PDB file of all heavy atoms in Angstrom:
ATOM      1  N   PHE A 231      26.753  34.461  -8.683  1.00  0.00           N
ATOM      2  CA  PHE A 231      25.619  35.166  -8.088  1.00  0.00           C
ATOM      3  C   PHE A 231      24.992  34.421  -6.971  1.00  0.00           C
ATOM      4  O   PHE A 231      24.225  34.973  -6.147  1.00  0.00           O
ATOM      5  CB  PHE A 231      24.620  35.595  -9.182  1.00  0.00           C
ATOM      6  CG  PHE A 231      23.491  34.635  -9.458  1.00  0.00           C
ATOM      7  CD1 PHE A 231      22.479  34.416  -8.580  1.00  0.00           C
ATOM      8  CD2 PHE A 231      23.484  33.916 -10.681  1.00  0.00           C
ATOM      9  CE1 PHE A 231      21.430  33.548  -8.884  1.00  0.00           C
ATOM     10  CE2 PHE A 231      22.437  33.009 -10.957  1.00  0.00           C
ATOM     11  CZ  PHE A 231      21.424  32.869 -10.055  1.00  0.00           C
ATOM     12  N   PHE A 232      25.307  33.078  -6.847  1.00  0.00           N
ATOM     13  CA  PHE A 232      24.916  32.357  -5.672  1.00  0.00           C
ATOM     14  C   PHE A 232      25.785  32.627  -4.445  1.00  0.00           C
ATOM     15  O   PHE A 232      25.341  32.773  -3.385  1.00  0.00           O
ATOM     16  CB  PHE A 232      24.922  30.836  -5.996  1.00  0.00           C
ATOM     17  CG  PHE A 232      24.507  29.975  -4.797  1.00  0.00           C
ATOM     18  CD1 PHE A 232      23.176  29.701  -4.502  1.00  0.00           C
ATOM     19  CD2 PHE A 232      25.460  29.405  -4.041  1.00  0.00           C
ATOM     20  CE1 PHE A 232      22.827  28.930  -3.459  1.00  0.00           C
ATOM     21  CE2 PHE A 232      25.143  28.540  -2.955  1.00  0.00           C
ATOM     22  CZ  PHE A 232      23.786  28.345  -2.679  1.00  0.00           C
ATOM     23  N   ALA A 233      27.110  32.721  -4.738  1.00  0.00           N
ATOM     24  CA  ALA A 233      28.071  32.844  -3.661  1.00  0.00           C
ATOM     25  C   ALA A 233      28.072  34.257  -3.038  1.00  0.00           C
ATOM     26  O   ALA A 233      28.168  34.405  -1.824  1.00  0.00           O
ATOM     27  CB  ALA A 233      29.509  32.532  -4.173  1.00  0.00           C
ATOM     28  N   ALA A 234      28.000  35.254  -3.892  1.00  0.00           N
ATOM     29  CA  ALA A 234      28.109  36.646  -3.384  1.00  0.00           C
ATOM     30  C   ALA A 234      27.048  36.998  -2.341  1.00  0.00           C
ATOM     31  O   ALA A 234      27.362  37.564  -1.304  1.00  0.00           O
ATOM     32  CB  ALA A 234      28.069  37.646  -4.540  1.00  0.00           C
ATOM     33  N   PRO A 235      25.751  36.661  -2.562  1.00  0.00           N
ATOM     34  CA  PRO A 235      24.754  36.941  -1.549  1.00  0.00           C
ATOM     35  C   PRO A 235      24.900  36.063  -0.329  1.00  0.00           C
ATOM     36  O   PRO A 235      24.234  36.305   0.705  1.00  0.00           O
ATOM     37  CB  PRO A 235      23.418  36.687  -2.266  1.00  0.00           C
ATOM     38  CG  PRO A 235      23.705  36.790  -3.695  1.00  0.00           C
ATOM     39  CD  PRO A 235      25.128  36.272  -3.838  1.00  0.00           C
ATOM     40  N   SER A 236      25.721  35.003  -0.405  1.00  0.00           N
ATOM     41  CA  SER A 236      25.935  34.123   0.729  1.00  0.00           C
ATOM     42  C   SER A 236      26.672  34.880   1.829  1.00  0.00           C
ATOM     43  O   SER A 236      26.546  34.505   3.023  1.00  0.00           O
ATOM     44  CB  SER A 236      26.731  32.878   0.352  1.00  0.00           C
ATOM     45  OG  SER A 236      25.978  32.073  -0.559  1.00  0.00           O
ATOM     46  N   PHE A 237      27.445  35.908   1.522  1.00  0.00           N
ATOM     47  CA  PHE A 237      28.092  36.699   2.549  1.00  0.00           C
ATOM     48  C   PHE A 237      27.059  37.306   3.537  1.00  0.00           C
ATOM     49  O   PHE A 237      27.081  37.004   4.733  1.00  0.00           O
ATOM     50  CB  PHE A 237      28.969  37.811   1.930  1.00  0.00           C
ATOM     51  CG  PHE A 237      30.257  37.365   1.381  1.00  0.00           C
ATOM     52  CD1 PHE A 237      30.471  37.326  -0.004  1.00  0.00           C
ATOM     53  CD2 PHE A 237      31.276  36.959   2.234  1.00  0.00           C
ATOM     54  CE1 PHE A 237      31.680  36.877  -0.528  1.00  0.00           C
ATOM     55  CE2 PHE A 237      32.506  36.538   1.678  1.00  0.00           C
ATOM     56  CZ  PHE A 237      32.717  36.486   0.345  1.00  0.00           C
ATOM     57  N   PRO A 238      26.079  38.106   3.017  1.00  0.00           N
ATOM     58  CA  PRO A 238      25.091  38.629   3.965  1.00  0.00           C
ATOM     59  C   PRO A 238      24.111  37.536   4.420  1.00  0.00           C
ATOM     60  O   PRO A 238      23.577  37.636   5.530  1.00  0.00           O
ATOM     61  CB  PRO A 238      24.378  39.703   3.149  1.00  0.00           C
ATOM     62  CG  PRO A 238      24.562  39.270   1.708  1.00  0.00           C
ATOM     63  CD  PRO A 238      25.946  38.668   1.686  1.00  0.00           C
ATOM     64  N   GLY A 239      23.881  36.515   3.559  1.00  0.00           N
ATOM     65  CA  GLY A 239      22.975  35.452   4.038  1.00  0.00           C
ATOM     66  C   GLY A 239      23.453  34.735   5.263  1.00  0.00           C
ATOM     67  O   GLY A 239      22.684  34.538   6.226  1.00  0.00           O
ATOM     68  N   TRP A 240      24.711  34.324   5.261  1.00  0.00           N
ATOM     69  CA  TRP A 240      25.269  33.679   6.465  1.00  0.00           C
ATOM     70  C   TRP A 240      25.488  34.667   7.586  1.00  0.00           C
ATOM     71  O   TRP A 240      25.477  34.256   8.770  1.00  0.00           O
ATOM     72  CB  TRP A 240      26.566  32.940   6.070  1.00  0.00           C
ATOM     73  CG  TRP A 240      26.319  31.671   5.382  1.00  0.00           C
ATOM     74  CD1 TRP A 240      26.419  31.390   4.046  1.00  0.00           C
ATOM     75  CD2 TRP A 240      25.913  30.429   5.993  1.00  0.00           C
ATOM     76  NE1 TRP A 240      26.108  30.091   3.789  1.00  0.00           N
ATOM     77  CE2 TRP A 240      25.786  29.451   4.975  1.00  0.00           C
ATOM     78  CE3 TRP A 240      25.676  30.038   7.310  1.00  0.00           C
ATOM     79  CZ2 TRP A 240      25.405  28.140   5.186  1.00  0.00           C
ATOM     80  CZ3 TRP A 240      25.282  28.740   7.518  1.00  0.00           C
ATOM     81  CH2 TRP A 240      25.168  27.800   6.473  1.00  0.00           C
ATOM     82  N   ALA A 241      25.795  35.889   7.266  1.00  0.00           N
ATOM     83  CA  ALA A 241      26.019  36.909   8.293  1.00  0.00           C
ATOM     84  C   ALA A 241      24.745  37.095   9.099  1.00  0.00           C
ATOM     85  O   ALA A 241      24.803  37.185  10.334  1.00  0.00           O
ATOM     86  CB  ALA A 241      26.434  38.270   7.643  1.00  0.00           C
ATOM     87  N   TYR A 333      15.727  38.103   0.156  1.00  0.00           N
ATOM     88  CA  TYR A 333      16.569  36.901   0.140  1.00  0.00           C
ATOM     89  C   TYR A 333      15.739  35.670  -0.147  1.00  0.00           C
ATOM     90  O   TYR A 333      16.192  34.739  -0.800  1.00  0.00           O
ATOM     91  CB  TYR A 333      17.336  36.781   1.446  1.00  0.00           C
ATOM     92  CG  TYR A 333      18.530  35.891   1.340  1.00  0.00           C
ATOM     93  CD1 TYR A 333      19.752  36.380   0.901  1.00  0.00           C
ATOM     94  CD2 TYR A 333      18.485  34.524   1.652  1.00  0.00           C
ATOM     95  CE1 TYR A 333      20.880  35.545   0.763  1.00  0.00           C
ATOM     96  CE2 TYR A 333      19.554  33.723   1.522  1.00  0.00           C
ATOM     97  CZ  TYR A 333      20.758  34.239   1.110  1.00  0.00           C
ATOM     98  OH  TYR A 333      21.854  33.407   0.953  1.00  0.00           O
ATOM     99  N   PHE A 336      15.171  35.344  -3.835  1.00  0.00           N
ATOM    100  CA  PHE A 336      16.390  34.834  -4.442  1.00  0.00           C
ATOM    101  C   PHE A 336      16.594  33.348  -4.170  1.00  0.00           C
ATOM    102  O   PHE A 336      16.912  32.551  -5.060  1.00  0.00           O
ATOM    103  CB  PHE A 336      17.608  35.647  -3.889  1.00  0.00           C
ATOM    104  CG  PHE A 336      18.921  34.976  -3.982  1.00  0.00           C
ATOM    105  CD1 PHE A 336      19.623  35.009  -5.175  1.00  0.00           C
ATOM    106  CD2 PHE A 336      19.488  34.383  -2.900  1.00  0.00           C
ATOM    107  CE1 PHE A 336      20.856  34.415  -5.292  1.00  0.00           C
ATOM    108  CE2 PHE A 336      20.755  33.799  -2.978  1.00  0.00           C
ATOM    109  CZ  PHE A 336      21.444  33.795  -4.199  1.00  0.00           C
ATOM    110  N   MET A 360      27.929  24.629  -5.646  1.00  0.00           N
ATOM    111  CA  MET A 360      27.377  25.933  -5.260  1.00  0.00           C
ATOM    112  C   MET A 360      27.318  26.074  -3.755  1.00  0.00           C
ATOM    113  O   MET A 360      27.680  27.095  -3.176  1.00  0.00           O
ATOM    114  CB  MET A 360      25.997  26.113  -5.862  1.00  0.00           C
ATOM    115  CG  MET A 360      25.974  26.251  -7.388  1.00  0.00           C
ATOM    116  SD  MET A 360      24.316  26.089  -8.098  1.00  0.00           S
ATOM    117  CE  MET A 360      23.383  27.378  -7.268  1.00  0.00           C
ATOM    118  N   THR A 363      30.828  26.748  -2.344  1.00  0.00           N
ATOM    119  CA  THR A 363      31.255  28.106  -2.583  1.00  0.00           C
ATOM    120  C   THR A 363      30.526  29.089  -1.658  1.00  0.00           C
ATOM    121  O   THR A 363      31.175  29.986  -1.058  1.00  0.00           O
ATOM    122  CB  THR A 363      31.057  28.530  -4.043  1.00  0.00           C
ATOM    123  OG1 THR A 363      31.625  27.533  -4.881  1.00  0.00           O
ATOM    124  CG2 THR A 363      31.662  29.846  -4.315  1.00  0.00           C
ATOM    125  N   GLY A 364      29.196  28.866  -1.573  1.00  0.00           N
ATOM    126  CA  GLY A 364      28.421  29.753  -0.676  1.00  0.00           C
ATOM    127  C   GLY A 364      28.785  29.637   0.775  1.00  0.00           C
ATOM    128  O   GLY A 364      28.886  30.632   1.509  1.00  0.00           O
ATOM    129  N   VAL A 365      29.033  28.402   1.198  1.00  0.00           N
ATOM    130  CA  VAL A 365      29.404  28.151   2.574  1.00  0.00           C
ATOM    131  C   VAL A 365      30.773  28.692   2.927  1.00  0.00           C
ATOM    132  O   VAL A 365      31.013  29.186   4.015  1.00  0.00           O
ATOM    133  CB  VAL A 365      29.254  26.660   2.956  1.00  0.00           C
ATOM    134  CG1 VAL A 365      29.910  26.334   4.275  1.00  0.00           C
ATOM    135  CG2 VAL A 365      27.782  26.273   2.923  1.00  0.00           C
ATOM    136  N   ALA A 367      32.136  31.227   1.574  1.00  0.00           N
ATOM    137  CA  ALA A 367      31.937  32.682   1.750  1.00  0.00           C
ATOM    138  C   ALA A 367      31.345  32.970   3.129  1.00  0.00           C
ATOM    139  O   ALA A 367      31.746  33.926   3.828  1.00  0.00           O
ATOM    140  CB  ALA A 367      30.961  33.206   0.651  1.00  0.00           C
ATOM    141  N   GLY A 368      30.407  32.117   3.592  1.00  0.00           N
ATOM    142  CA  GLY A 368      29.826  32.294   4.880  1.00  0.00           C
ATOM    143  C   GLY A 368      30.840  32.067   6.010  1.00  0.00           C
ATOM    144  O   GLY A 368      30.818  32.799   7.030  1.00  0.00           O
ATOM    145  N   VAL A 371      33.043  35.245   6.149  1.00  0.00           N
ATOM    146  CA  VAL A 371      32.335  36.467   6.712  1.00  0.00           C
ATOM    147  C   VAL A 371      32.057  36.213   8.176  1.00  0.00           C
ATOM    148  O   VAL A 371      32.061  37.181   8.966  1.00  0.00           O
ATOM    149  CB  VAL A 371      31.074  36.774   5.918  1.00  0.00           C
ATOM    150  CG1 VAL A 371      29.921  35.855   6.265  1.00  0.00           C
ATOM    151  CG2 VAL A 371      30.639  38.220   6.146  1.00  0.00           C
TER     152      VAL A 371
END
Side-chain angles (χ1 to χ4, degrees):
F231 91 73
F232 178 83
S236 294
F237 282 109
W240 282 101
Y333 199 85
F336 160 78
M360 291 166 60
T363 308
V365 167
V371 77

